[in-house]
Amino acid sequence: MDWRDAGLIGVLYDVGIEHRWLGLIGGRAVWGADLRRHYRDIATLGSSAGRGARVLDVPCGGGVAFRGIPRDGSWRYVAVDLAPVMLRRARAVAERYELANLALTQASVTALPFPGATFDLCLSYFGLHCFPDPAAALADMARVLRPGGLLRGTSVVRGGGRRQDAAIAVLRRFGVFGEVGTAADLASWLEAAGLREIAVDRDGAVAYFTARR
């Protein structure tokens, strides 16, 4: 599936992540994971970078991370997604939260339209497994991070169990998912991107990752 043309599938995918109770049910039922950690991670975003931080959110989806960012405009926040439907949903969320200093940009994650060393923090929540080339995506995220900048996110990975791997295979067959690696693959992609202080922690078929430029 070309995510630029994401319609109903894209909206359903986003709704499942955006609504906490649906995310928790789906996380346990489909991925064998407790997604409370994911929502806690978003809730504590405000303490992950100081005032004036330049933050990139890719893919932003429908703006699930927006609930955790400062609403006083102290961050310069850029939300990127390939799908127009996701950007429209994200814009509605930004308006609802009255977020300042937030820009929405349509772009590919492997060709981010920003100079190198632009951002202090890069977020990538539940999008990596949808990309045809996650290693290339991480390499471009690393490129736009300043030295010392932090990357943090979540991704579905293989190796969480037979049922979870079967679900991944089905979603790949229908084009919803792209290349999906294991937690070890994810760590190797982060290292190949030139990142350091890499941490990858798997819960079921969900991996939480952080790395520094």
Side-chain angles (χ1 to χ4, degrees):
M1 184 178 75
D2 187 337
W3 279 91
R4 283 171 294 191
D5 300 323
L8 180 60
I9 290 178
V11 171
L12 291 174
Y13 187 81
D14 181 58
V15 167
I17 293 295
E18 181 182 353
H19 293 85
R20 188 177 186 273
W21 66 275
L22 280 175
L24 293 177
I25 293 171
R28 180 61 68 189
V30 180
W31 305 122
D34 182 354
L35 293 192
R36 285 180 294 182
R37 176 175 173 180
H38 167 65
Y39 294 102
R40 285 197 303 268
D41 192 73
I42 290 175
T44 59
L45 278 178
S47 62
S48 60
R51 293 186 64 84
R54 298 163 296 176
V55 181
L56 175 67
D57 182 356
V58 57
C60 67
V64 65
F66 293 1
R67 71 189 70 185
I69 68 176
R71 302 188 186 184
D72 58 2
S74 60
W75 282 7
R76 289 170 286 175
Y77 196 98
V78 180
V80 173
D81 207 287
L82 189 62
V85 66
M86 294 293 101
L87 291 172
R88 288 195 296 271
R89 291 175 63 83
R91 187 180 305 280
V93 171
E95 291 174 353
R96 185 165 74 245
Y97 289 164
E98 298 182 342
L99 296 174
N101 286 348
L102 186 147
L104 295 166
T105 301
Q106 183 180 9
S108 168
V109 70
T110 55
L112 295 169
F114 312 110
T118 297
F119 297 97
D120 303 292
L121 174 65
C122 178
L123 309 173
S124 189
Y125 290 117
F126 283 110
L128 198 63
H129 50 264
C130 295
F131 303 151
D133 191 346
L138 289 170
D140 215 37
M141 292 180 204
R143 177 187 65 81
V144 300
L145 273 176
R146 65 165 179 79
L150 180 67
L151 169 66
R152 62 192 284 182
T154 51
S155 178
V156 172
V157 294
R158 290 185 290 108
R162 290 183 179 180
R163 179 168 53 84
Q164 289 77 23
D165 286 350
I168 290 168
V170 170
L171 290 166
R172 290 197 67 199
R173 191 174 301 122
F174 283 95
V176 178
F177 280 9
E179 180 66 27
V180 183
T182 64
D185 291 330
L186 175 54
S188 69
W189 295 336
L190 292 165
E191 184 177 8
L195 298 167
R196 57 187 177 85
E197 298 180 23
I198 295 167
V200 178
D201 185 18
R202 183 175 62 79
D203 175 17
V206 174
Y208 298 85
F209 60 91
T210 60
R212 197 169 293 279
R213 186 77 173 93

